[in-house]
Amino acid sequence: MRSHYCGQLNSSHIDQEVELCGWVHRSRDHGGVIFIDLRDREGLVQVVYDPDLPEVFSAAEHVRNEFVLRVKGRVRARPEGTVNPDMPTGEVEVLGLELEVLNKADTPPFQLDEHEKASEEIRLRYRYIDLRRPEMQEKIRIRARTTQLLRRFLDDRGFLDIETPMLTKATPEGARDYLVPSRTHPGEFFALPQSPQLFKQLLMMSGMDRYYQIVRCFRDEDLRADRQPEFTQLDIETSFLDENEIMELNEEMIRQLYKEILDVDLPNPFPRMTYDEAMDRYGSDCPDLRVPLELVDLQDLMQEVEFKVFSGPAKDPHGRVAALHVPGGSSLSRKKIDGYTKFVGIYGAKGLAYIKVNELAKGRDGLQSPILKFLPDSAVDGILERTGAKDGDLIFFGADKTHVVNEALGALRVKVGEDLDLMEGAWRPLWVVDFPMFEWDDKHNRWNPLHHPFTSPKDDQIDLLESDPGKCKSRAYDMVVNGTELGGGSIRIHSGELQQKIFKLLEIGEEEAQEKFGFLLNALKYGCPPHGGLAFGLDRLVMLLTGSKSIRDVMAFPKTQSAACQLTSAPSEVSMTQLRELSIRVRKPQSEEAS
Amino acid sequence: MRSHYCGQLNSSHIDQEVELCGWVHRSRDHGGVIFIDLRDREGLVQVVYDPDLPEVFSAAEHVRNEFVLRVKGRVRARPEGTVNPDMPTGEVEVLGLELEVLNKADTPPFQLDEHEKASEEIRLRYRYIDLRRPEMQEKIRIRARTTQLLRRFLDDRGFLDIETPMLTKATPEGARDYLVPSRTHPGEFFALPQSPQLFKQLLMMSGMDRYYQIVRCFRDEDLRADRQPEFTQLDIETSFLDENEIMELNEEMIRQLYKEILDVDLPNPFPRMTYDEAMDRYGSDCPDLRVPLELVDLQDLMQEVEFKVFSGPAKDPHGRVAALHVPGGSSLSRKKIDGYTKFVGIYGAKGLAYIKVNELAKGRDGLQSPILKFLPDSAVDGILERTGAKDGDLIFFGADKTHVVNEALGALRVKVGEDLDLMEGAWRPLWVVDFPMFEWDDKHNRWNPLHHPFTSPKDDQIDLLESDPGKCKSRAYDMVVNGTELGGGSIRIHSGELQQKIFKLLEIGEEEAQEKFGFLLNALKYGCPPHGGLAFGLDRLVMLLTGSKSIRDVMAFPKTQSAACQLTSAPSEVSMTQLRELSIRVRKPQSEEAS
């Protein structure tokens, strides 16, 4: 139907006759001539209808926004003075010779140019209109280009794209599963996969050697801004490679991707940092290295001060006292600091002590702080020395359980960095390595795996599994870019005995282990190769690449925060017949039944 | 860990030191020397351990089948007389200098070489062992290569790979949906998609212009040999192209695929045949053109015969009388013919009349048939003339409702063609076009769509929608290869009024239409471009390409015919807590509750 895309026309097409198909982006009558901006996937071009051609002119008079047109016309240079340098096709226009209305359109619920005035709910309900916006089209295109590049990189290196089941057994990732009732096995359920973890390990046991898949995963969790009930992973697994080889291969892939999509050179190699160092310096295992602020330990300085808020955590083996030094921060208003106090409260911090360094030369008088009176000179001197604070700076303090201090100051660090515009560099990737195998679960009084229970401990630390599990490090690695965890993985356990030892340590009883993972334990007996891999969050990766604020923007048909689809009104009620066939019935929460 | 894959070694590597990783395919002690066939994804190589190196020799003595080894050794030419021409690496062997057992293996439940002795159940339960077989690896590799080639073809032509939701609204394909209870919307359910049909149409309305996706689809149907509860589609949709352009593009894609994978040249262009012609000549809308047999109409000849079995259907406007002429078929034994009679019974035929043509020169005496006595000479002469039967041939007859005759003789045609080894040509693709829009549903006394309710009627036949819906042809097309429907699609309806007219004709009430498809009807109002597309069954395509007998063979982790996974024991029971969170309870069929 068409000879060119609208957005492709330029001065090389002048005098050519072209056929275009697209949507009326806008139309206007200007001095008795009708100008239509015709839009397709590749962009806009101006089509001009002249009253000299009365028949098509009259047809053009009746088009409205979002009508679908087929246009035949001749490309010509725009008259002098009307060239539009902001438009890729702005040097030319098309003199319309024919016009066919392929479809009409009602007035859309919002104009594309004015989408910001529409609520997100309306834009999701009319997603097919919102997706017509050039910015949205660009995001979807970058997503398609991204998967294409990732696939080609892996194809070229002998990775096989292999599909794993969607209707499967409850997975061990620990989040809530989406369940699917089985009709042929009444009372039994499939689970939608939280990840293909066990299947990709089974593929290694099947001798597939190198596997990847771009695969949908499901988690029925309470949704945060950057979570969706279904999301997409680039899932990778390989045999006979160690963690260094896997990290090298994957950072090479991401480097090539950034080069192709954004023309950005990421560092080669990516810096690596241990988990312990990341927590000490940044209070986070996915530090945003663009923020040039670091946490400074004050533990030893605060052991003996009378100020219990500091000395308590300083003496607690599970506590931490740390400072965050903010150059130029003394200009922060009281109101701003109150805001930060509230902010760290989200992470459980009970307050936010600070010292403003007004004039060091004046000693204590040059400092301004509600807590100064509680601290002896030696502590104050130590703080100033360790942070290297100068006139005009500010120092925040955190003192609490270690995880509270880390989360609160870690988050504050990024927030202050953004607020004060301190960010350095556009893209700062790194690997975080040497994760602990386990974290202590206070609530259930047991060890939980920090990654998942198939992660291998470091070879030289297997003894610690018995003597001091909390100290045992794993062969896991996370790729972090600008404070976002893009992907993570590990070398897996390939020994059945070790796997059982880990299950035991996690207090997964033998029966439960058999019931849940029996097939894996079985498979480990029959010649499992050493293997490992990782998974990238594709939605987050594309979100970063496109500079989007939400993963909803990089999915064609996302769900709302209550896990519903505004467009199709899913989920919805189903018939009794369907439920009967599946051997289930609805049982609403009691509060609702009572009402 | 390795320098080469086992299967890659050849005489160009002689004298090189190599490192290999793989599985012990078999090992044997031959004249005091140990020979290990080491296997990896790329093939097998023979590794030799000599007693001259006592330490590694002793290690080699302890390996068993399916142990995972790391081997270091030197490639050398095999001694004269021991070259194995059947093995790609058969000119060389590796003198083992080091040996590390990476993992041991229990005796596998079946030996790879003896998999045919194991039941399919055992092979599915130990799928990770069955997948180690070179033939299975090859199938999985061809599948990966197939998706790679299809993607590249479409990427290169501006098709965007766009993901559509898995948790969605019940789809209109008519098969049973898999349902997913929503936790956040008690009493409501998502459906897993039977196809992304409506979403891909919405993407066209979103101006994406060209879309594809390799996507999982779900149907909760009773399973036949070539069905799985989850299967994979290559789904394609495009705007502003007509059916001819879409067919040309897609057959080009399939031609390239066959060339790359099998080095086969498919015809260019594919022949096209109308639905009516396919039914008349082959009794099937997916005819296997390799079979050189055709149905011959006898309707007019049989109107007046006294034999009611023929004259009844001949006079019935919904009946058909047809012959299937089998050259050389007179040699078929009575037993064989009885078998075919049973076979057509599956399709509802009440019998299978036949005439053996022994010697035409003898007139009636040269024919052998239980029905001959019921037929006048004129009818017999007509049959012989129309079929062109010669001495030694056989003619089968079908007389019944048209659909019974077509199904019975259509299936018999293929069966006889296979049995008598009449197949001509290896690959015979075609397009079947001009499908009827609707078929009459005797059971519910209404029209059903032959494809789906979004299929566009032919432009010049829209009047028939009211006057004679059964005659109205659609803009649908199916690609058929060797009697298998590889893919099908259509130009869709892009007018809201026409869509509503079709819903009305299908007796989908206004309320139901709004409830199920309201979002589509809505979207049609806001500038929907003309569009169409198709979907290929990827599993079937790979099954054809690999010469597999079942789609189970081309899926890494298939389910059994009762829709269960032998490997992971899915589906399975879940906890009361999980069910309570989802606001459902199990209600087993009454017969079970009573027992």
Side-chain angles (χ1 to χ4, degrees):
Chain A
M1 281 199 197
R2 75 179 141 216
S3 62
H4 295 79
Y5 280 108
C6 300
Q8 288 176 332
L9 296 180
N10 57 46
S11 52
S12 78
H13 300 97
I14 285 171
D15 288 335
Q16 284 185 31
E17 204 155 275
V18 295
E19 287 181 85
L20 306 172
C21 293
W23 285 259
V24 176
H25 194 65
R26 56 179 90 80
S27 73
R28 61 193 185 284
D29 187 325
H30 188 71
V33 175
I34 295 173
F35 295 88
I36 294 176
D37 283 347
L38 196 66
R39 187 191 67 237
D40 65 18
R41 197 178 82 178
E42 303 296 321
L44 292 169
V45 73
Q46 177 168 291
V47 186
V48 183
Y49 284 95
D50 205 288
D52 293 352
L53 298 163
E55 205 174 316
V56 286
F57 182 83
S58 141
E61 275 185 316
H62 291 93
V63 309
R64 298 283 168 270
N65 281 3
E66 300 308 316
F67 272 35
V68 186
L69 304 188
R70 183 187 188 183
V71 162
K72 205 177 208 171
R74 191 172 307 110
V75 182
R76 64 184 190 193
R78 289 204 193 186
E80 219 157 313
T82 67
V83 166
N84 182 347
D86 295 338
M87 216 172 154
T89 63
E91 290 188 4
V92 296
E93 62 187 16
V94 175
L95 175 66
L97 303 173
E98 287 178 26
L99 189 160
E100 182 186 354
V101 175
L102 294 171
N103 217 343
K104 295 185 177 184
D106 287 358
T107 304
F110 57 92
Q111 298 298 328
L112 267 57
D113 285 347
E114 297 172 356
H115 67 278
E116 284 176 348
K117 289 187 196 160
S119 68
E120 189 175 19
E121 195 208 313
I122 288 289
R123 283 163 52 202
L124 286 175
R125 187 181 314 155
Y126 297 93
R127 185 68 169 177
Y128 45 89
I129 295 177
D130 206 31
L131 283 174
R132 290 182 196 163
R133 290 194 288 122
E135 312 88 75
M136 293 303 277
Q137 300 237 328
E138 183 65 8
K139 289 181 202 294
I140 299 294
R141 291 170 69 129
I142 290 181
R143 183 176 179 126
R145 178 87 179 121
T146 297
T147 53
Q148 191 187 109
L149 290 166
L150 295 172
R151 286 180 190 285
R152 290 192 183 193
F153 181 92
L154 292 163
D155 287 343
D156 291 347
R157 279 156 189 81
F159 284 81
L160 296 177
D161 179 4
I162 304 176
E163 295 184 73
T164 53
M166 292 278 126
L167 294 173
T168 180
K169 206 174 158 82
T171 39
E173 274 74 5
R176 214 182 273 113
D177 281 318
Y178 276 103
L179 296 183
V180 183
S182 161
R183 180 177 54 86
T184 44
H185 300 269
E188 299 190 343
F189 295 79
F190 295 102
L192 299 177
Q194 294 184 31
S195 91
Q197 180 64 34
L198 292 179
F199 286 106
K200 69 175 174 174
Q201 294 192 232
L202 288 166
L203 286 172
M204 295 303 103
M205 301 174 199
S206 307
M208 294 298 168
D209 203 70
R210 296 185 156 203
Y211 144 93
Y212 83 94
Q213 189 184 190
I214 292 183
V215 60
R216 204 70 55 84
C217 301
F218 303 84
R219 290 187 191 187
D220 186 9
E221 288 181 298
D222 299 308
L223 304 178
R224 289 187 263 142
D226 59 345
R227 288 275 173 92
Q228 282 276 314
E230 46 180 314
F231 57 97
T232 304
Q233 247 176 229
L234 167 60
D235 198 45
I236 296 174
E237 196 82 1
T238 170
S239 299
F240 306 119
L241 292 188
D242 68 20
E243 50 269 61
N244 288 321
E245 294 165 309
I246 292 175
M247 283 189 272
E248 278 163 25
L249 183 89
N250 280 285
E251 64 174 74
E252 177 64 22
M253 178 175 74
I254 297 298
R255 257 195 307 275
Q256 286 193 17
L257 181 70
Y258 268 77
K259 185 67 185 170
E260 292 268 0
I261 301 270
L262 298 175
D263 197 23
V264 160
D265 291 299
L266 294 183
N268 182 3
F270 288 5
R272 294 189 191 178
M273 186 180 292
T274 67
Y275 173 89
D276 287 344
E277 186 182 347
M279 295 309 272
D280 280 352
R281 292 173 60 190
Y282 306 108
S284 167
D285 60 357
C286 42
D288 189 337
L289 296 186
R290 293 173 305 170
V291 182
L293 308 178
E294 294 194 15
L295 275 60
V296 176
D297 248 318
L298 304 174
Q299 202 81 352
D300 53 326
L301 286 179
M302 298 301 161
Q303 300 267 354
E304 303 303 333
V305 302
E306 275 176 55
F307 188 40
K308 290 241 163 52
V309 173
F310 281 11
S311 63
K315 284 181 201 155
D316 179 353
H318 299 298
R320 185 176 186 188
V321 184
L324 180 71
H325 165 220
V326 185
S330 75
S331 60
L332 286 169
S333 66
R334 180 63 201 249
K335 199 177 149 201
K336 198 86 196 165
I337 292 176
D338 284 350
Y340 290 141
T341 308
K342 235 180 225 166
F343 176 77
V344 296
I346 302 171
Y347 301 92
K350 288 181 284 287
L352 181 62
Y354 66 89
I355 296 177
K356 280 190 180 179
V357 181
N358 293 332
E359 203 176 339
L360 280 175
K362 287 190 180 166
R364 278 192 174 245
D365 289 344
L367 305 177
Q368 181 189 342
S369 167
I371 61 159
L372 208 58
K373 54 181 175 282
F374 303 120
L375 298 177
D377 283 348
S378 62
V380 174
D381 291 346
I383 292 167
L384 293 174
E385 194 195 319
R386 228 169 257 190
T387 58
K390 295 196 175 53
D391 290 357
D393 293 355
L394 179 144
I395 303 162
F396 285 119
F397 296 91
D400 208 313
K401 293 286 178 196
T402 304
H403 72 96
V404 173
V405 171
N406 286 343
E407 285 176 29
L409 288 192
L412 181 64
R413 174 184 164 269
V414 175
K415 185 155 184 57
V416 169
E418 284 169 355
D419 288 354
L420 299 188
D421 210 9
L422 302 172
M423 314 299 259
E424 291 173 356
W427 297 102
R428 296 292 301 273
L430 79 156
W431 287 104
V432 177
V433 297
D434 292 356
F435 283 83
M437 280 288 285
F438 312 104
E439 57 187 355
W440 185 250
D441 179 344
D442 279 329
K443 203 167 136 201
H444 300 95
N445 225 23
R446 65 174 184 206
W447 293 108
N448 278 339
L450 201 76
H451 278 77
H452 53 60
F454 317 107
T455 305
S456 177
K458 287 192 167 271
D459 286 340
D460 58 358
Q461 304 199 355
I462 291 181
D463 290 347
L464 287 172
L465 289 176
E466 270 166 21
S467 59
D468 192 352
K471 283 239 162 64
C472 184
K473 304 293 187 198
S474 73
R475 299 176 72 182
Y477 34 81
D478 277 1
M479 186 191 288
V480 176
V481 175
N482 293 1
T484 296
E485 184 199 326
L486 270 198
S490 63
I491 300 297
R492 326 298 181 186
I493 295 168
H494 66 273
S495 143
E497 291 110 76
L498 184 55
Q499 187 64 69
Q500 273 179 316
K501 192 182 253 182
I502 299 288
F503 284 155
K504 209 168 156 190
L505 209 150
L506 296 171
E507 297 179 40
I508 300 175
E510 239 171 89
E511 205 180 328
E512 188 187 350
Q514 271 306 325
E515 151 77 22
K516 277 193 181 169
F517 312 118
F519 62 99
L520 181 81
L521 291 171
N522 233 339
L524 286 170
K525 284 186 208 154
Y526 293 109
C528 170
H531 64 286
L534 82 177
F536 289 95
L538 185 72
D539 311 290
R540 278 200 230 171
L541 175 58
V542 178
M543 188 175 85
L544 276 191
L545 288 171
T546 56
S548 303
K549 288 199 183 103
S550 159
I551 59 169
R552 288 194 295 281
D553 281 350
V554 297
M555 304 172 95
F557 301 105
K559 296 204 169 49
T560 62
Q561 300 220 357
S562 79
C565 174
Q566 292 287 343
L567 171 60
T568 61
S569 310
S572 57
E573 293 188 355
V574 298
S575 72
M576 284 304 295
T577 319
Q578 279 174 289
L579 296 182
R580 208 172 298 126
E581 281 191 312
L582 297 175
S583 304
I584 57 170
R585 64 205 300 179
V586 167
R587 167 214 183 111
K588 295 225 178 152
Q590 306 223 321
S591 57
E592 277 198 46
E593 280 185 325
S595 73
Chain B
M1 278 198 197
R2 74 180 142 215
S3 62
H4 296 77
Y5 279 108
C6 299
Q8 289 175 332
L9 295 180
N10 56 46
S11 53
S12 77
H13 299 98
I14 286 171
D15 288 336
Q16 283 186 30
E17 202 155 276
V18 295
E19 287 181 85
L20 307 172
C21 293
W23 284 258
V24 176
H25 193 64
R26 57 178 91 80
S27 72
R28 61 193 184 283
D29 187 324
H30 188 73
V33 175
I34 295 173
F35 295 88
I36 295 176
D37 283 346
L38 197 66
R39 186 191 68 236
D40 65 18
R41 197 177 82 179
E42 304 295 320
L44 292 169
V45 73
Q46 176 166 292
V47 186
V48 183
Y49 284 95
D50 206 287
D52 293 351
L53 297 162
E55 206 174 315
V56 286
F57 181 83
S58 140
E61 275 186 316
H62 292 92
V63 308
R64 298 284 169 269
N65 281 4
E66 300 308 315
F67 273 34
V68 186
L69 304 188
R70 182 186 189 185
V71 162
K72 206 176 206 172
R74 190 171 307 110
V75 182
R76 65 184 189 192
R78 289 205 192 186
E80 220 157 312
T82 66
V83 166
N84 182 348
D86 296 336
M87 214 173 155
T89 63
E91 290 189 3
V92 298
E93 60 187 17
V94 176
L95 176 66
L97 302 172
E98 287 178 24
L99 189 159
E100 182 186 354
V101 174
L102 294 172
N103 216 344
K104 295 184 178 183
D106 286 0
T107 304
F110 57 92
Q111 297 299 327
L112 266 58
D113 286 345
E114 298 171 357
H115 68 277
E116 284 176 348
K117 290 187 198 162
S119 68
E120 189 175 21
E121 194 207 314
I122 288 289
R123 281 161 55 201
L124 287 174
R125 186 181 313 155
Y126 297 93
R127 185 71 169 175
Y128 45 90
I129 294 177
D130 206 31
L131 284 173
R132 288 181 198 165
R133 289 193 290 123
E135 312 87 78
M136 293 302 279
Q137 300 237 329
E138 183 65 8
K139 289 182 202 291
I140 299 293
R141 292 170 68 128
I142 289 183
R143 183 176 180 126
R145 178 86 179 122
T146 298
T147 53
Q148 193 188 106
L149 289 166
L150 295 172
R151 288 179 188 287
R152 291 193 183 193
F153 181 91
L154 292 164
D155 287 344
D156 290 348
R157 280 155 188 82
F159 285 80
L160 297 177
D161 179 5
I162 304 176
E163 294 184 74
T164 53
M166 292 278 125
L167 295 173
T168 180
K169 203 174 160 83
T171 38
E173 273 75 6
R176 214 181 271 114
D177 281 319
Y178 276 103
L179 297 182
V180 183
S182 161
R183 181 178 54 85
T184 45
H185 300 268
E188 299 189 343
F189 295 79
F190 295 103
L192 299 177
Q194 293 183 33
S195 91
Q197 181 63 34
L198 293 179
F199 285 106
K200 69 175 174 174
Q201 294 194 231
L202 288 166
L203 286 172
M204 295 303 102
M205 302 174 197
S206 306
M208 293 299 167
D209 203 69
R210 295 184 156 204
Y211 144 93
Y212 82 94
Q213 190 184 191
I214 292 182
V215 61
R216 204 69 56 84
C217 301
F218 303 83
R219 290 187 191 188
D220 186 8
E221 289 181 297
D222 299 308
L223 304 178
R224 289 186 264 141
D226 59 345
R227 288 274 173 91
Q228 282 277 313
E230 46 180 315
F231 57 97
T232 302
Q233 247 176 228
L234 167 60
D235 198 44
I236 296 175
E237 195 82 2
T238 169
S239 301
F240 306 118
L241 292 189
D242 68 20
E243 49 269 60
N244 289 322
E245 293 164 310
I246 292 176
M247 282 189 272
E248 278 164 24
L249 184 88
N250 280 285
E251 64 173 75
E252 177 63 22
M253 179 175 74
I254 297 298
R255 257 194 307 276
Q256 286 194 16
L257 182 70
Y258 267 77
K259 185 68 185 170
E260 292 267 0
I261 302 270
L262 298 176
D263 197 23
V264 159
D265 290 300
L266 294 184
N268 183 4
F270 287 6
R272 293 188 192 179
M273 186 179 293
T274 66
Y275 173 88
D276 287 343
E277 185 182 349
M279 296 309 272
D280 280 351
R281 292 173 58 190
Y282 307 109
S284 166
D285 60 357
C286 42
D288 188 337
L289 296 187
R290 293 173 305 169
V291 182
L293 308 180
E294 295 194 15
L295 275 59
V296 176
D297 248 320
L298 306 174
Q299 201 82 354
D300 52 327
L301 287 179
M302 299 300 161
Q303 300 266 357
E304 303 305 330
V305 301
E306 273 176 58
F307 187 39
K308 290 240 163 54
V309 173
F310 281 10
S311 63
K315 285 182 201 152
D316 180 350
H318 300 297
R320 184 174 188 191
V321 184
L324 181 71
H325 165 220
V326 185
S330 74
S331 60
L332 286 170
S333 67
R334 179 65 204 246
K335 200 178 146 197
K336 199 86 196 166
I337 292 176
D338 284 349
Y340 290 141
T341 309
K342 233 181 228 166
F343 176 76
V344 296
I346 302 172
Y347 302 92
K350 288 181 282 288
L352 181 63
Y354 65 89
I355 296 177
K356 280 190 180 178
V357 181
N358 293 329
E359 203 178 338
L360 279 175
K362 287 188 183 169
R364 278 193 173 246
D365 289 343
L367 305 176
Q368 179 189 343
S369 165
I371 61 160
L372 209 57
K373 54 180 176 284
F374 304 120
L375 298 178
D377 283 348
S378 61
V380 173
D381 291 346
I383 291 166
L384 293 174
E385 192 196 321
R386 227 169 258 190
T387 58
K390 296 195 174 55
D391 290 356
D393 293 356
L394 180 144
I395 303 162
F396 285 119
F397 296 89
D400 208 313
K401 293 283 177 198
T402 303
H403 72 97
V404 173
V405 171
N406 287 343
E407 284 176 30
L409 288 193
L412 181 64
R413 173 184 165 268
V414 175
K415 186 155 182 59
V416 169
E418 284 169 355
D419 287 354
L420 300 188
D421 210 10
L422 302 172
M423 315 297 261
E424 292 172 355
W427 297 102
R428 296 291 302 273
L430 79 156
W431 287 105
V432 178
V433 297
D434 292 357
F435 283 84
M437 280 287 285
F438 312 103
E439 57 187 354
W440 184 251
D441 180 344
D442 279 328
K443 204 169 135 199
H444 300 94
N445 226 21
R446 65 175 184 207
W447 294 108
N448 277 340
L450 201 76
H451 277 78
H452 54 58
F454 317 108
T455 305
S456 176
K458 286 191 168 273
D459 286 341
D460 58 359
Q461 306 200 353
I462 291 181
D463 290 345
L464 289 171
L465 288 178
E466 272 166 22
S467 58
D468 192 353
K471 283 239 164 62
C472 184
K473 304 293 187 199
S474 73
R475 299 175 70 182
Y477 33 81
D478 277 2
M479 186 190 288
V480 176
V481 176
N482 292 2
T484 296
E485 183 200 326
L486 269 197
S490 62
I491 300 296
R492 326 299 182 186
I493 295 167
H494 66 273
S495 142
E497 291 110 76
L498 184 56
Q499 186 64 71
Q500 272 179 316
K501 191 181 255 185
I502 300 287
F503 283 155
K504 211 169 154 191
L505 209 150
L506 296 171
E507 298 178 40
I508 300 176
E510 239 172 87
E511 204 178 328
E512 189 188 349
Q514 271 306 325
E515 151 76 22
K516 276 192 181 170
F517 311 120
F519 61 99
L520 181 81
L521 290 172
N522 232 339
L524 286 170
K525 285 186 209 153
Y526 293 110
C528 170
H531 64 287
L534 82 178
F536 289 95
L538 185 72
D539 310 291
R540 277 201 232 172
L541 174 59
V542 179
M543 188 175 85
L544 275 193
L545 288 171
T546 56
S548 303
K549 288 201 186 102
S550 159
I551 59 170
R552 289 194 295 282
D553 280 350
V554 297
M555 306 172 95
F557 301 106
K559 296 203 170 47
T560 62
Q561 300 219 357
S562 78
C565 174
Q566 291 289 343
L567 172 60
T568 62
S569 310
S572 56
E573 293 188 355
V574 299
S575 72
M576 284 304 295
T577 318
Q578 280 174 287
L579 296 183
R580 207 172 297 125
E581 281 190 312
L582 298 175
S583 303
I584 57 171
R585 65 204 300 179
V586 167
R587 165 213 185 113
K588 296 223 179 155
Q590 305 221 322
S591 58
E592 277 197 46
E593 277 184 330
S595 71

